[in-house]
Amino acid sequence: MDIWTYQSVEYVTVAGETWLASASEYPRSMRALWQSRPWAPSVLPCGRAFDVISMPSLFGRKVLDELWSSGPGCGPVATFRGRTLVFAQPGAAPRLRTLLAWEEWARDVPPLLCHGLGDAVTVPPVQRMVNSPESPGQGAGRWIVAPDTREPWLPGAAVLLWACVRAARESGAGLPGPLPVPSGTRPGAGRQHSVSLLPVPSA
C-alpha cells in the first residue's frame, strides 16, 4: 500500500464501488483501476446503471434540499467543476428533458444537462486525500452523497421535475398553481435517513 492510500479516506463503500462499476462495460477492469488509482476521477457511461442530471451548483443544492425536506430523499450525488450531478434512474434523462420542454412553468428552471444512454460523465474518485491541498484528488470533484449500496434508490424523472419546480419557486420564480407531491415513497422511508450536505462551490 503506497503513501497516497495511507493518507486517504474511503468514502465510497465497497458495495458502492460495485454499483458504480456496473455502469461500465468492463466492471472488473474499472475496479482494478480504482485499486491502483483510487484518488483519480473516472469516466462512466450513463443509461445502464444510472442517468445523471447535471445542474448549476447553487440550484442543485436547493433541489437536494427539496428532495430531503419534501421527500423522498435522493441517491448518490456528486459535484464536479461547479455542477451538481444527481444520479437518477436509467431512462430518467430523456423523460425529464421531455417534461421540461413540455410544461410551461419549466421555463423558470435553470438549464439542466440530462445525461442518458449514449452519454458519459466524469465521477469523483472513490477515495480522497486529506490534509493535502496539492493531492491528485483535488479539483477532481467530490461526493456529496456517496454510493454505499449495490442497489441505491434513484429518483425518477417525475420526482426530479417537482423538486426542480419547487426549488425554482423558492428562488422567487412565479410558478402557476399548486404543486402536487410526487406519488410513491422511497423504499424504507420509515427508517431514519441522514445526509450531510456540504457547501458546494459556486460556478
Side-chain angles (χ1 to χ4, degrees), residues 148-181:
D148 60 357
T149 175
R150 290 173 181 262
E151 297 181 358
W153 181 87
L154 301 173
V159 170
L160 288 170
L161 174 68
W162 292 116
C164 287
V165 171
R166 288 192 192 95
R169 183 175 65 174
E170 290 299 320
S171 299
L175 302 177
L179 299 177
V181 176

Side-chain angles (χ1 to χ4, degrees), residues 12 16 22 34 52 69 74 80 93 101 128 149 161 166 192 195:
V12 174
S22 71
W34 289 334
V52 171
S69 63
C74 68
F80 182 73
R128 65 176 173 179
T149 175
L161 174 68
R166 288 192 192 95
Q192 291 281 341
V195 59

Side-chain angles (χ1 to χ4, degrees), residues 50-157:
F50 53 75
D51 283 2
V52 171
I53 311 302
S54 174
M55 311 175 181
S57 61
L58 294 180
F59 182 72
R61 173 62 183 266
K62 294 175 183 176
V63 170
L64 291 185
D65 287 343
E66 287 295 332
L67 286 170
W68 282 97
S69 63
S70 303
C74 68
V77 180
T79 179
F80 182 73
R81 292 185 177 178
R83 306 281 296 186
T84 298
L85 309 181
V86 179
F87 287 69
Q89 294 175 6
R95 177 164 172 73
L96 183 58
R97 266 196 304 264
T98 300
L99 290 172
L100 287 171
W102 179 63
E103 298 291 355
E104 64 179 67
W105 34 252
R107 66 180 180 270
D108 296 302
V109 175
L112 306 181
L113 302 178
C114 302
H115 302 290
L117 189 63
D119 298 324
V121 294
T122 301
V123 301
V126 296
Q127 296 184 13
R128 65 176 173 179
M129 318 305 176
V130 293
N131 301 323
S132 181
E134 303 302 323
S135 70
Q138 293 295 320
R142 62 180 176 83
W143 291 102
I144 299 175
V145 181
D148 60 357
T149 175
R150 290 173 181 262
E151 297 181 358
W153 181 87
L154 301 173

